[in-house]
Amino acid sequence: PIVRFARTLNRDIDAVRNAIEMEWSNGQAEGQINRLKTLKRAMYGRAGPNLLRARMLPLHHTN
């Protein structure tokens, strides 16, 4: 598995090098995309009860 992972990284070595050396990050965009997908799952009924509970209840909610 490690050799396969290394081969995959080597295929796009320029992107790997840029990710390490440059200060740019797309973390904020990725977080917003994740939030949007979570909300869409909730709207279309594909979110399970645990996800909905975590999204809707306050952080320190007790039963």
Side-chain angles (χ1 to χ4, degrees), residues 5-57:
F5 176 71
R7 277 192 209 128
T8 304
L9 287 180
N10 198 32
R11 279 189 224 143
D12 202 6
I13 194 66
D14 291 333
V16 172
R17 191 174 289 121
N18 288 338
I20 294 170
E21 294 174 356
M22 299 184 105
E23 60 188 56
W24 296 86
S25 171
N26 65 347
Q28 181 66 27
E30 293 294 330
Q32 294 298 331
I33 291 168
N34 185 40
R35 181 176 173 275
L36 176 64
K37 286 183 178 181
T38 302
L39 290 172
K40 283 178 71 175
R41 282 187 207 107
M43 288 187 323
Y44 290 109
R46 292 190 310 251
N50 291 335
L51 177 61
L52 290 173
R53 188 175 298 115
R55 294 289 296 169
M56 302 301 170
L57 293 178

